[in-house]
Amino acid sequence: MSEILTLKNINQHFFQGKNKIEVLKNLNFSVAKATKIAIIGSSGSGKSSLLNIASLLQSPVSGDIFIMGKNASRLKDKEKSFLRKKNIGYVHQQNSLLMEFNAYENIYLTLLLNGFNSSYAKEKALDLLKVVNMEDRALHKPSALSGGEQQRIAIVRAISNSPEIIIADEPTGNLDKINSDKVIDELIKISYVNSTSLLLATHDLAIAKKMDKVYKLNNGLLLEYED
């Protein structure tokens, strides 16, 4: 299966009062295995809607979403949840770490929720901390970590189930340039080492150009970006 994700004829809109806002218009798009793709666009262009639909967190008004060749649009919510847990790792702009638990526990609990046994989850959580050079920060709660460190924990938490694709929505939006570069480098490294696809939304063209392909979302249409 070369295509991990395929969106076919996706339409999405919402209403502001009586005004209909077209967010996505008959969008067709696919992500091949181990491919890194950036989506750029102005604030409010629909990048988050596109990523939420691709990750099965949101349903489009019309169109089909295929994950690993399976039409997720026809699945029940429980089946969608299973498909998402098995194949998709999601990294938010706001890292959504559990503030009452330390870095290690955030990863460990995610593994338990994904159905892994305690023994495996403990070992895997420690291994993932090493991937992002955070083993010395394992017992620190998010409030004691920098923004960049928090996002690195969020990344390895997202890949803890060895997903086929990582979907990242403005993962460096709240970071300075130094931490932003570190986070993007981690995502690229993980994508390369694990042959994992990466679909990333960003407003930063310099980050976008580190990906294999760049698309621009404008007026509901997604077109390949040309310098």
Side-chain angles (χ1 to χ4, degrees):
M1 172 60 62
S2 61
E3 290 185 347
I4 302 301
L5 166 70
T6 301
L7 304 181
K8 288 190 176 180
N9 305 317
I10 298 293
N11 289 280
Q12 188 71 316
H13 64 252
F14 63 89
F15 287 91
Q16 283 185 340
K18 293 183 179 180
N19 296 323
K20 182 180 179 181
I21 309 297
E22 298 279 0
V23 181
L24 304 172
K25 301 175 185 176
N26 201 38
L27 184 145
N28 290 279
F29 175 69
S30 63
V31 181
K33 183 172 179 60
T35 302
K36 298 181 289 297
I37 293 178
I39 308 290
I40 61 172
S42 60
S43 178
S45 62
K47 299 189 301 296
S48 290
S49 290
L50 172 57
L51 264 58
N52 285 337
I53 288 169
S55 58
L56 307 181
L57 294 171
Q58 183 179 330
S59 297
V61 171
S62 62
D64 294 303
I65 306 115
F66 294 84
I67 305 290
M68 302 296 291
K70 179 174 287 190
N71 191 343
S73 309
R74 300 177 183 175
L75 300 177
K76 296 177 181 177
D77 287 345
K78 189 174 181 180
E79 293 171 317
K80 282 184 183 179
S81 179
F82 177 79
L83 192 63
R84 181 170 59 247
K85 282 183 178 180
K86 189 172 187 295
N87 295 291
I88 299 171
Y90 201 102
V91 181
H92 301 263
Q93 180 177 351
Q94 301 290 344
N95 60 61
S96 68
L97 296 176
L98 300 171
M99 300 303 288
E100 64 269 34
F101 295 101
N102 62 38
Y104 164 80
E105 290 167 336
N106 264 275
I107 303 168
Y108 171 72
L109 290 171
T110 298
L111 285 158
L112 291 183
L113 289 171
N114 280 322
F116 295 102
N117 65 49
S118 178
S119 178
Y120 174 84
K122 288 177 182 178
E123 184 177 346
K124 183 70 172 178
L126 291 172
D127 287 342
L128 287 168
L129 285 166
K130 291 176 184 176
V131 167
V132 288
N133 299 313
M134 290 283 289
E135 60 266 40
D136 62 330
R137 309 288 276 166
L139 301 182
H140 289 70
K141 291 184 177 180
S143 59
L145 301 174
S146 70
E149 288 173 333
Q150 289 181 37
Q151 202 64 320
R152 283 152 68 191
I153 295 300
I155 288 170
V156 290
R157 188 180 66 169
I159 65 159
S160 61
N161 61 332
S162 302
E164 292 290 341
I165 183 170
I166 302 167
I167 296 179
D169 189 2
E170 296 278 8
T172 64
N174 295 323
L175 304 178
D176 58 34
K177 188 178 187 311
I178 291 174
N179 280 302
S180 176
D181 288 342
K182 286 180 181 178
V183 165
I184 292 301
D185 288 346
E186 291 295 349
L187 278 169
I188 291 172
K189 180 183 77 173
I190 287 167
S191 172
Y192 176 76
V193 170
N194 297 337
S195 296
T196 305
S197 303
L198 175 59
L199 176 60
L200 178 147
T202 181
H203 64 277
D204 189 329
L205 189 55
I207 288 174
K209 287 182 175 181
K210 293 183 177 184
M211 304 298 116
D212 300 323
K213 290 183 180 180
V214 181
Y215 290 87
K216 185 172 184 178
L217 187 59
N218 187 38
N219 293 324
L221 303 175
L222 189 65
L223 300 172
E224 193 158 354
Y225 176 79
E226 295 180 5
D227 234 336

